[in-house]
Amino acid sequence: MHGEVEVGAKVTLAEVAKEAGVSLPTVSKVLNGRSDVSTGTRAKVERLLAAHGYRRRVAGPPRTPLIELVFHELDSVWAVELVKGVENVAKANRATVVLTRSGTRHAPGPEWIEGVLRRRPLGVVLVFSSLPAEVKRRLRSWDIPFVIVDPAGDPDPDVPSVGSANWAGGLAATRHLTDHGHERVAIVTGPEDMLCSRARLDGYRSTLTMAGLPFDPRLVRFGDFQVHSGFAHAGDLLDGPEPPTAVFAGSDLQALGVLEAARLRGLRVPEDLSVVGYDDVPPAQWSSPPLTTVHQPLRHMAEEAARMLFRPDVPGGAARRIELATRLVVRQSSGPPSGRAAPAHRVPGRAPGARISAGA
């Protein structure tokens, strides 16, 4: 046998092999990460090894100086910000970033785990809302640290994760609009099954309540954070019998779709329609007009997640959760409804890009 150590094991490897219905050499292959074992057999043996207290020696097969960053999609502008954040930390630790695309927005695909075990990276940063129990078990069995960067805001309690204050961001965006006198504020948030979408919607509803405005479900749309989603939902809202005077979009990409829907209908922004986005990705400041948005610290979130790979676990075995603040960035796509003056507390001539705390 090579590369394994028994920690608190109550049975021998021969007994593990017998219980799994395989040979002793097969158990040895699993312990040493050999590829010539079927997926089903490997999973069965690893479960038994974990149950009986076997752990691989950390100094076994050499680690590759890589940080693996795993997405379900790589074509979004916010993905670039996350890559830059992980790269900053990797460079400081003399490591390289490898990008992997796998699965859905909820979890990586089942094929991914075999590849990462072969690559043996220093750690893994995953951009998903959760991880299957089997994936977590196998990564831990191989002593590969992992952290979730969690735009969805719904991590498993036993997984280290970094997120942001989605409820506060939704509140700040909507309050900015109600403070300007808007009474019909629509929201195009993200997918209905993502907690971040719900949290931003809850911030929106809380603001309406504080402003003494009714909540109208006809002004609520669930999108997918993409441009076409904002465009389609905004068109439906603006063509209705009582169109909104402002739209809070759950992403900057959706906000760009709202701007295009307004342009095609001859509406001026912000005179006829105010628009607020979310994320503050670089294209937001170059839209026409420049987009008021909620800054989500995507790069900082990725940096914190990558740093967690190099830190020891929290004492007591609890998973570390970091939640970073959001803030409102005021540009030129928002203002009072047509025919109404700017509120007295607004600073006249505020420069584009002026920042207001999401908790203000």
Side-chain angles (χ1 to χ4, degrees):
M1 305 285 173
H2 301 284
E4 76 273 0
V5 61
E6 297 175 27
V7 180
K10 297 180 180 179
V11 299
T12 67
L13 292 180
E15 290 172 311
V16 171
K18 182 178 180 180
E19 189 175 350
V22 301
S23 67
L24 183 58
T26 296
V27 175
S28 179
K29 288 178 182 180
V30 172
L31 274 168
N32 287 286
R34 292 270 297 275
S35 60
D36 52 339
V37 180
S38 71
T39 301
T41 298
R42 182 185 304 279
K44 182 194 300 184
V45 172
E46 286 187 339
R47 277 195 295 270
L48 289 170
L49 289 170
H52 292 301
Y54 282 87
R55 295 292 184 271
R56 290 171 179 79
R57 184 184 302 149
V58 175
R63 292 293 180 92
T64 307
L66 300 174
I67 295 178
E68 184 151 346
L69 178 56
V70 191
F71 295 89
H72 80 278
E73 62 177 8
L74 290 170
D75 54 355
S76 62
V77 290
W78 56 262
V80 176
E81 292 298 297
L82 295 177
V83 171
K84 290 179 179 177
V86 174
E87 282 183 335
N88 290 341
V89 175
K91 183 178 180 180
N93 288 275
R94 298 182 178 180
T96 301
V97 177
V98 58
L99 303 180
T100 301
R101 180 175 179 173
S102 177
T104 68
R105 65 175 178 263
H106 297 292
E111 78 290 342
W112 169 76
I113 188 65
E114 298 297 336
V116 75
L117 295 182
R118 288 193 301 270
R119 288 186 287 275
R120 295 270 303 162
L122 298 175
V124 181
V125 176
L126 302 113
V127 189
F128 296 96
S129 57
S130 63
L131 285 179
E134 180 70 5
V135 170
K136 292 185 287 186
R137 187 191 62 76
R138 297 189 70 183
L139 289 172
R140 287 171 176 145
S141 173
W142 280 77
D143 295 312
I144 298 176
F146 57 94
V147 179
I148 283 183
V149 173
D150 181 41
D154 190 22
D156 295 328
D158 62 338
V159 176
S161 61
V162 181
S164 67
N166 286 292
W167 180 85
L171 184 144
T174 312
R175 189 166 67 181
H176 172 69
L177 295 169
T178 59
D179 282 353
H180 277 81
H182 292 278
E183 297 181 356
R184 287 191 61 75
V185 179
I187 179 172
V188 182
T189 188
E192 192 168 3
D193 62 348
M194 292 182 72
L195 190 62
C196 64
S197 306
R198 290 289 186 177
R200 293 169 196 176
L201 177 60
D202 287 345
Y204 162 88
R205 294 189 65 162
S206 296
T207 303
L208 296 182
T209 298
M210 290 187 295
L213 298 173
F215 172 74
D216 186 348
R218 295 173 299 177
L219 295 176
V220 176
R221 298 289 188 278
F222 290 97
D224 62 4
F225 293 137
Q226 301 301 316
V227 175
H228 66 83
S229 172
F231 178 80
H233 286 303
D236 182 51
L237 289 162
L238 295 173
D239 292 339
E242 297 180 85
T245 62
V247 176
F248 165 37
S251 73
D252 290 341
L253 293 180
Q254 286 186 150
L256 294 178
V258 175
L259 291 176
E260 179 62 9
R263 185 189 69 82
L264 292 178
R265 287 160 177 79
L267 298 176
R268 300 166 300 163
V269 176
E271 292 85 356
D272 302 320
L273 181 72
S274 283
V275 180
V276 176
Y278 203 103
D279 287 332
D280 194 25
V281 293
Q285 62 184 310
W286 300 110
S287 66
S288 183
L291 187 65
T292 295
T293 185
V294 175
H295 178 81
Q296 182 173 211
L298 294 168
R299 192 176 305 191
H300 189 192
M301 289 163 63
E303 289 173 343
E304 286 297 326
R307 290 188 187 105
M308 288 169 73
L309 298 175
F310 299 96
R311 297 171 183 164
D313 292 337
V314 175
R320 183 187 290 110
R321 166 71 177 177
I322 297 176
E323 186 168 278
L324 302 178
T326 52
R327 66 177 184 270
L328 185 69
V329 180
V330 179
R331 297 192 178 103
Q332 297 170 7
S333 67
S334 57
S338 181
R340 296 189 61 164
H345 66 269
R346 188 185 187 205
V347 179
R350 179 185 294 276
R355 288 178 168 81
I356 299 177
S357 168

